[in-house]
Amino acid sequence: MKIVVLTGSPHKEGTTDLLADKFIEGAESKGHEIYRFDAAFRNIHPCLGCDACGMSGPCVHKDDIENEAIQKLREADVIALVTPVYYFAFSAQLKTVIDRFYSRTYDINNKQSVLLAAAGSNTPLTMRSITKHYQTLAGYMHWQDRGMVLAAGCPTRDAIAKTNYPDEAFKLGQSL
Ligand SMILES: Cc1cc2nc3c(=O)[nH]c(=O)nc-3n(C[C@H](O)[C@H](O)[C@H](O)COP(=O)(O)O)c2cc1C
C-alpha cells in the first residue's frame, strides 16, 4: 500500500519524530511504500478560504502542499497523522496541511488512516479533544481508522523512548 505520513512537529528529533520513524519502520517491514511530509520544514501556507478551488481544483497557493503533497495524498491508501498535542489539538503545522485537503476533499476520501500523537501531560483530558477531532475528521472523509498511538505523559524524546509507545507505533505500521 501507499502510505502518506504527515508530521506536524517543529522538533527535528522530538517525541513524535520517534513515533513516525518507528511507524515507518514497521510499515516498510511489510513492504509498504512511504511518502513522508514534515510540514514544519516545508514551504506551506494556510487555506485562504477563497474557494477558487471549489473543493476540487487547484489551490491558489503554489507551495509544497499543492506542488507535491496533494498528489501523494490523492494516491495514498493510508494517511498517517503524526503530531504533538498543542492545546488539546493537532499542531498548527499539521492543521495547515489538513485544511488544505479542502482543495481536493473528494479525492482524499475513502482512505485508511492512523493517528500518532504525543503530549506532555497525562490526564483524562490530555487526548480527549484530539481523539474526537481525528475520529470526526475520519468520519467526514470516509476514512477507515486503523488505529491510534496516544503517547500521553511524554514531554521529551528521552521520556517517550523509555515507554512502549515507539513499539506500539512500530506494531501499528506492521499491522497495515
Ligand atoms: C505550543 C505547545 C502546546 C502544547 N500543548 C500541550 C497540551 O495541550 N497538552 C499536553 O499534554 N502537552 C502539550 N504540549 C507538550 C507537547 O505536546 C509535548 O512536549 C510533545 O511531546 C512534543 O512533541 P514533539 O517533540 O514531537 O514536538 C504543548 C507544547 C507546546 C510547545
Side-chain angles (χ1 to χ4, degrees):
M1 290 195 292
K2 292 185 175 179
I3 304 178
V4 168
V5 178
L6 300 175
T7 75
S9 173
H11 293 144
K12 271 205 190 308
E13 294 191 350
T15 58
T16 52
D17 174 64
L18 184 57
L19 293 181
D21 283 349
K22 290 291 171 188
F23 172 78
I24 289 168
E25 217 177 290
E28 283 180 335
S29 76
K30 291 291 176 180
H32 299 304
E33 189 185 311
I34 308 294
Y35 166 77
R36 176 172 175 160
F37 187 84
D38 294 311
F41 304 102
R42 294 304 202 103
N43 172 31
I44 64 171
H45 295 91
C47 176
L48 295 173
C50 66
D51 236 333
C53 64
M55 293 182 86
S56 62
C59 178
V60 294
H61 289 307
K62 302 302 174 205
D63 58 6
D64 291 346
I65 298 176
E66 177 65 11
N67 294 335
E68 190 183 308
I70 281 288
Q71 188 53 30
K72 297 289 186 184
L73 284 159
R74 292 163 89 178
E75 292 166 2
D77 300 294
V78 182
I79 297 173
L81 303 178
V82 187
T83 183
V85 174
Y86 277 6
Y87 291 97
F88 308 98
F90 301 121
S91 73
Q93 290 87 340
L94 179 58
K95 186 60 164 54
T96 299
V97 182
I98 291 172
D99 288 354
R100 296 280 299 283
F101 290 175
Y102 187 83
S103 71
R104 304 294 197 306
T105 291
Y106 308 111
D107 292 347
I108 307 176
N109 277 348
N110 300 309
K111 312 278 185 190
Q112 299 172 50
S113 63
V114 301
L115 171 68
L116 298 102
S121 68
N122 187 3
T123 76
L125 291 181
T126 301
M127 294 291 181
R128 190 174 70 171
S129 297
I130 194 166
T131 306
K132 285 279 172 220
H133 188 164
Y134 165 70
Q135 289 166 335
T136 306
L137 173 68
Y140 173 74
M141 299 296 282
H142 302 284
W143 291 349
Q144 183 200 352
D145 170 43
R146 294 295 306 268
M148 293 181 252
V149 175
L150 303 173
C154 296
T156 61
R157 189 174 179 109
D158 281 353
I160 200 170
K162 293 187 185 110
T163 70
N164 284 331
Y165 294 121
D167 195 43
E168 267 187 46
F170 179 87
K171 286 184 176 136
L172 182 56
Q174 209 181 26
S175 73
L176 296 174

